[in-house]
Amino acid sequence: MARSRPAPAQNLPVYRAQEFVASDGANMGDALSFASELVLDDVYELPYRIEAQRLSILPGNNGRFRVATDTQLGTPGATLILDSALSFMSNDGGMHDVLLLVEIDNEGSVTEIYILPLTTLAGHVEYRLVGIDTENAHKKFAQVACVSFTRGTHITMSSGEQRKIEHLKVGDRILTRDDGVQTIRWISQSTARAVGDFAPIKINAGTLNNDHDLIVSPDHRLFIYQRSDEVGVGRAELLVKARHLVNGMTVTVMDGGFVDYFQLLFDSHQIIYAEGIAAETMLIDTRTKSVLPLELSEALGEVIPGHSDLPHAGLDVNEALLNRPDAAELLRKASTR
């Protein structure tokens, strides 16, 4: 029987589309809208000093998402549809990709449109629309939503060997925390811009009792077993997002350039060991499934035991409890005492 525990919410840095207005072109004076209403070569700008806000989302049905309760924007429980992926070019020749999310009410009427930038956008900068893609938006979103390890990360094998992730292959046997030895079902590799909210997080050696630096995607969740409750969660087992541990010293954002990301898929959501730190593997839901090859996606079906039953749900730590510069140090102490 499927477990009735909540899926992990994902916080996305978004702008309201009404804030991104065409300053030149066919739609001059109009805000960014659906792909069907856009015209290539139109120029858009954000207001000066505007900041992105957080849209918190959960997996939904039929490729859609839902607005979570802890959101800054949107109506909790409302449906979100991924409309398109758009590409803009700034005056300096830089490319900027964004995803367009549409919120609808129970009657199916549009209540808000959001822009999810995959690179940093600045106010009072001209962005020329150079690409409109309605076919691959879900795949691009899935690449953002997947938790990922970076090139060079050592993964603990069933034998205890520490093997770099880029040397792993399908069928390799990996040590997991909950289910002993498990076999890798699929491995994905992609290269992404390491900028803004999607830049990887570096956890320095020793920070969480790790022998070497661990570099992961920002929403990658790390498993902590507390021997003493140092952060006031009230339970021993925790899942902590890497981005929530950033302190500018021992846990930092690696902003700039590009990063090679790797995702590991098992028949069920697992906690494995990366540089000695317990960390989650890929979780398949409507946010991430589109990254899979079509034949694998079809073979898995809509309900995937071990993923759909959310075996590690309910362990996430509220960000507010970690909003302190010594959070990583407290968790290190909690896991060793």
Side-chain angles (χ1 to χ4, degrees):
M1 178 180 294
R3 306 180 191 184
S4 59
R5 294 185 292 181
Q10 184 175 13
N11 290 317
L12 303 174
V14 303
Y15 299 97
R16 289 187 173 94
Q18 66 190 35
E19 298 166 332
F20 204 41
V21 178
S23 59
D24 190 23
N27 286 318
M28 184 174 177
D30 295 337
L32 194 71
S33 187
F34 311 108
S36 59
E37 299 179 357
L38 300 178
V39 178
L40 291 175
D41 282 335
D42 279 3
V43 176
Y44 289 82
E45 293 184 37
L46 285 169
Y48 185 57
R49 288 186 176 177
I50 191 170
E51 293 185 358
Q53 293 181 275
R54 295 284 170 180
L55 177 66
S56 186
I57 74 165
L58 292 166
N61 299 316
N62 301 317
R64 299 182 174 190
F65 315 123
R66 292 183 293 115
V67 180
T69 57
D70 62 342
T71 191
Q72 281 185 303
L73 295 178
T75 303
T79 297
L80 289 167
I81 299 173
L82 188 53
D83 176 76
S84 56
L86 307 176
S87 297
F88 293 88
M89 180 181 291
S90 54
N91 288 338
D92 62 2
M95 293 300 298
H96 301 268
D97 296 324
V98 308
L99 298 176
L100 212 61
L101 289 158
V102 180
E103 180 182 328
I104 60 175
D105 60 21
N106 292 333
E107 284 70 45
S109 298
V110 174
T111 57
E112 191 68 82
I113 304 175
Y114 305 103
I115 304 166
L116 171 61
L118 303 185
T119 58
T120 302
L121 297 179
H124 275 315
V125 172
E126 292 186 343
Y127 295 101
R128 186 175 301 275
L129 181 61
V130 295
I132 304 172
D133 184 354
T134 58
E135 300 295 326
N136 298 300
H138 277 277
K139 185 172 183 178
K140 289 186 177 181
F141 183 87
Q143 290 171 340
V144 171
C146 286
V147 296
S148 306
F149 300 97
T150 56
R151 180 178 296 276
T153 300
H154 291 89
I155 303 297
T156 302
M157 310 295 290
S158 60
S159 63
E161 174 196 350
Q162 302 297 301
R163 187 177 300 176
K164 289 185 177 181
I165 195 165
E166 61 266 30
H167 296 156
L168 296 177
K169 60 184 184 297
V170 172
D172 278 345
R173 293 164 59 80
I174 306 297
L175 179 65
T176 74
R177 183 186 186 275
D178 301 308
D179 296 320
V181 175
Q182 294 293 312
T183 300
I184 297 176
R185 178 72 174 269
W186 181 70
I187 303 174
S188 175
Q189 177 186 347
S190 61
T191 300
R193 289 189 178 97
V195 293
D197 279 85
F198 302 110
I201 306 299
K202 177 183 177 183
I203 301 168
N204 289 358
T207 302
L208 292 176
N209 300 309
N210 46 311
D211 290 334
H212 303 96
D213 296 344
L214 174 65
I215 304 172
V216 293
S217 56
D219 284 319
H220 207 132
R221 295 182 299 169
L222 311 176
F223 179 89
I224 305 292
Y225 183 86
Q226 294 192 111
R227 299 179 186 277
S228 59
D229 190 2
E230 297 291 332
V231 294
V233 180
R235 61 178 183 274
E237 296 186 338
L238 314 176
L239 282 174
V240 178
K241 289 184 178 180
R243 72 160 77 243
H244 294 164
L245 297 179
V246 171
N247 55 26
M249 298 171 292
T250 60
V251 185
T252 55
V253 179
M254 298 187 68
D255 198 334
F258 291 83
V259 59
D260 289 334
Y261 276 140
F262 294 80
Q263 295 91 33
L264 300 180
L265 177 67
F266 294 82
D267 286 333
S268 58
H269 184 241
Q270 294 292 344
I271 303 296
I272 63 173
Y273 298 92
E275 302 297 359
I277 295 178
E280 70 172 327
T281 61
M282 186 176 178
L283 174 65
I284 299 297
D285 59 28
T286 56
R287 294 170 295 186
T288 59
K289 193 176 181 184
S290 294
V291 80
L292 298 177
L294 180 60
E295 62 275 14
L296 178 57
S297 179
E298 291 178 344
L300 290 174
E302 291 301 317
V303 178
I304 310 169
H307 290 265
S308 300
D309 60 5
L310 302 174
H312 300 104
L315 301 182
D316 294 86
V317 178
N318 189 294
E319 181 180 0
L321 292 176
L322 300 171
N323 188 21
R324 48 190 298 172
D326 62 344
E329 176 61 14
L330 288 177
L331 292 173
R332 186 191 66 79
K333 292 178 178 178
S335 64
T336 54
R337 285 180 175 175

